[in-house]
Amino acid sequence: MTKILFPLLTLTLSAALTASPAVNAADDPSISTRIVGGTESQAGEWPWMVSIKSAGNHFCGGSLINSQWVLTAAHCMFDGSVQKKPSSITAAVGEYNLNSSPATAASTVSKIYIHPDYDAAAITNDIALIKLQQPISSPVIIDALGSTATINAVSSQSKVTSIGWGSTVGYAYGEVVTPNYPFILRDVELPLQTDTVCESALGKNYTSEMVCAGIANSGKDSCQGDSGGPLVIDDAGTWKQIGIASWGIGCASTTPGAYTRLALYQDWINSTTGAVAVTGSLEYSDTKVSQSTAQIIVIDNNSSSDANLNITKSGSADFSFDSSACTSIDAGDSCSLSISYAPQDETMDTAVITISSDVPGSSPVTRSLTGFPLTDADALAASAGFVEANITWTTNGHSPWELNSGGDYLQSGSISDNQKSLLRAVASGTGRLTFDWAVQSEANYDVLRLYINGEEKQALSGSNSTFQKNYFYLDQAENTLLWSFEKDGNISNLLDQGYLNNVTFEPMSLAEYLIIQAQINNSSSGGGGGGALGWLSILLLPLCFIRRRYKTL
């Protein structure tokens, strides 16, 4: 299951939770959260509440846990499969009225830290930290409920409160609704459910790293727009945070909502905010066998003490680094570690970097490395009729792309859960890229993505029995194109493959491209097709009732 795939205009199935009153959130239509059945809060009632914004518009909630750190959900920090940049978001601490005049001051963001074990497909370890550029003066913060108290609260089904600006419209799985997003911060009281009840209601995707809250058909829930916001509990007269709004099935419908169990992540939070932290894991998908490329991870010392580092690697010898520039970091400073990848054969490579420091109370930080060696695919592309003098082709991943049995288009390789099949092209010069694509997958789960020069441009999922035509203008002297079919860990009901056909690249100026596209738009009412994949339609009927649909809060 993935999340942030398509602009959310209406909520179909279960909807992405990161929508706002003013923004159509680009989130997975199957994942959502918001406050349904609650009431308007009082101004100043939740002073540590945070509205996380993009271009000034709310898209996720958060909580202030110390003067310079905001806690939120990991899934909030992604656009599709691409992590948001700190410069693209702000955090309004103590926000109450999204439409207030003057607007609540918003803080700029310096760093985003995603939990290293966050799994976007399973929505596990759905937790992230945002570091503000400047500390909040006279902050009011919220503390986490401890592990023992959390276990007791879950077993006794204690009352908790979910807070946010999410839509107030509930919906069941499969239902199409129009969301209604309030400007005033709302809250709703819910009962926690035992782990047994949560597992029974939510299935295998409910794990021990979560809590769930709500009663079936009660009309009360968190939902779209509430993602990342706090689930709080009254602990002997003091509000403590027990969870982070994460996912669910529909909103205020037949199941409770799922929240990240905060007590399990205190060591990671303390180490990240008060010791050494690292941003980003590394995936190498653009390196040919016997060639070398390098990527950089940034190591931050967020403590008040200077740090001496020890950096080690386990795994494939095809990864290497020189740690001489990162033997120590002054308090509050950073260093950049360059990690090279030089595959010696066509086998996928993995490794783990471990960074230890002598900062008191710190824990080792690990980051995974994955390398997919590129293999030449010019002959493969030519066999499908993709013959362009200014494009070179390679393929890799857990299984390379291949020619379909009919010999007239390319299809992704056979992959297993949580794997990907990659097809890469390099186009020289500026001009118009044209291609047809289709996919046979569970909607919003197994996904075919297109990246252009490292940026995700489009994604396709579901049972598409007709090729869809696409046009893009490539504006660089050398353009890297990557088609990635990615399979999640849920049940497979279809063939789980992506398809590519009729790839062309015509050198032209941007002005020429715009004229041609205007003519195409005027002569076509709905975009072209590249022909039907007739055998796909046979498999459509069982799909809708087998795969589950989720919401991120």
Side-chain angles (χ1 to χ4, degrees), residues 66-88:
N66 75 31
S67 63
Q68 203 168 356
W69 292 88
V70 171
L71 186 67
T72 189
H75 77 261
C76 287
M77 296 295 101
F78 287 85
D79 291 321
S81 61
V82 179
Q83 185 177 326
K84 293 178 183 291
K85 296 180 180 179
S87 59
S88 70

Side-chain angles (χ1 to χ4, degrees), residues 198-257:
C198 297
E199 291 168 1
S200 175
L202 296 172
K204 70 173 185 177
N205 283 82
Y206 179 84
T207 69
S208 60
E209 294 86 11
M210 304 169 189
V211 298
C212 82
I215 299 176
N217 302 311
S218 66
K220 295 182 178 182
D221 196 3
S222 57
C223 206
Q224 189 110 0
D226 295 324
S227 281
L231 184 72
V232 299
I233 187 169
D234 186 341
D235 181 39
T238 301
W239 287 108
K240 299 285 185 67
Q241 185 169 353
I242 189 174
I244 303 169
S246 183
W247 65 274
I249 304 173
C251 287
S253 183
T254 58
T255 60

Side-chain angles (χ1 to χ4, degrees), residues 279-301:
T279 55
S281 295
L282 300 183
E283 180 178 294
Y284 298 77
S285 58
D286 58 356
T287 313
K288 285 189 174 183
V289 174
S290 299
Q291 294 184 352
S292 177
T293 59
Q295 295 190 49
I296 290 175
I297 59 173
V298 177
I299 307 172
D300 300 318
N301 181 4

Side-chain angles (χ1 to χ4, degrees), residues 149-160 189-198 212-215 233 242:
T150 296
I151 292 171
N152 293 337
V154 169
S155 63
S156 61
Q157 297 178 289
S158 298
K159 298 291 186 182
V160 290
E189 186 178 76
L190 306 164
L192 287 170
Q193 299 296 340
T194 66
D195 288 330
T196 300
V197 171
C198 297
C212 82
I215 299 176
I233 187 169
I242 189 174

Side-chain angles (χ1 to χ4, degrees), residues 3-300:
K3 39 183 201 314
I4 307 172
L5 289 179
F6 308 108
L8 189 63
L9 300 177
T10 58
L11 305 181
T12 61
L13 302 179
S14 56
L17 298 180
T18 54
S20 73
V23 175
N24 293 322
D27 212 350
D28 179 346
S30 68
I31 294 175
S32 66
T33 55
R34 66 205 168 207
I35 299 298
V36 179
T39 59
E40 289 187 356
S41 66
Q42 300 299 310
E45 185 176 4
W46 313 110
W48 27 259
M49 186 68 191
V50 179
S51 168
I52 303 173
K53 303 174 185 286
S54 176
N57 296 305
H58 169 84
F59 68 91
C60 265
S63 54
L64 189 71
I65 60 171
N66 75 31
S67 63
Q68 203 168 356
W69 292 88
V70 171
L71 186 67
T72 189
H75 77 261
C76 287
M77 296 295 101
F78 287 85
D79 291 321
S81 61
V82 179
Q83 185 177 326
K84 293 178 183 291
K85 296 180 180 179
S87 59
S88 70
I89 65 173
T90 57
V93 177
E95 180 77 276
Y96 174 66
N97 183 353
L98 297 176
N99 201 32
S100 63
S101 182
T104 303
S107 299
T108 54
V109 172
S110 64
K111 294 283 185 178
I112 297 171
Y113 298 95
I114 307 298
H115 193 278
D117 297 324
Y118 167 60
D119 187 332
I123 316 188
T124 53
N125 303 301
D126 190 12
I127 182 172
L129 285 163
I130 296 171
K131 186 177 184 181
L132 306 179
Q133 288 279 7
Q134 299 295 329
I136 301 296
S137 60
S138 303
V140 180
I141 65 174
I142 185 167
D143 293 325
L145 190 69
S147 295
T148 300
T150 296
I151 292 171
N152 293 337
V154 169
S155 63
S156 61
Q157 297 178 289
S158 298
K159 298 291 186 182
V160 290
T161 300
S162 183
I163 308 164
W165 291 272
S167 171
T168 59
V169 181
Y171 64 94
Y173 164 71
E175 182 181 6
V176 177
V177 300
T178 300
N180 178 36
Y181 299 106
F183 290 111
I184 302 298
L185 182 63
R186 297 174 69 87
D187 53 54
V188 62
E189 186 178 76
L190 306 164
L192 287 170
Q193 299 296 340
T194 66
D195 288 330
T196 300
V197 171
C198 297
E199 291 168 1
S200 175
L202 296 172
K204 70 173 185 177
N205 283 82
Y206 179 84
T207 69
S208 60
E209 294 86 11
M210 304 169 189
V211 298
C212 82
I215 299 176
N217 302 311
S218 66
K220 295 182 178 182
D221 196 3
S222 57
C223 206
Q224 189 110 0
D226 295 324
S227 281
L231 184 72
V232 299
I233 187 169
D234 186 341
D235 181 39
T238 301
W239 287 108
K240 299 285 185 67
Q241 185 169 353
I242 189 174
I244 303 169
S246 183
W247 65 274
I249 304 173
C251 287
S253 183
T254 58
T255 60
Y259 302 78
T260 304
R261 187 181 293 232
L262 186 54
L264 300 180
Y265 298 93
Q266 290 310 296
D267 287 346
W268 176 74
I269 292 171
N270 293 338
S271 181
T272 301
T273 60
V276 170
V278 179
T279 55
S281 295
L282 300 183
E283 180 178 294
Y284 298 77
S285 58
D286 58 356
T287 313
K288 285 189 174 183
V289 174
S290 299
Q291 294 184 352
S292 177
T293 59
Q295 295 190 49
I296 290 175
I297 59 173
V298 177
I299 307 172
D300 300 318

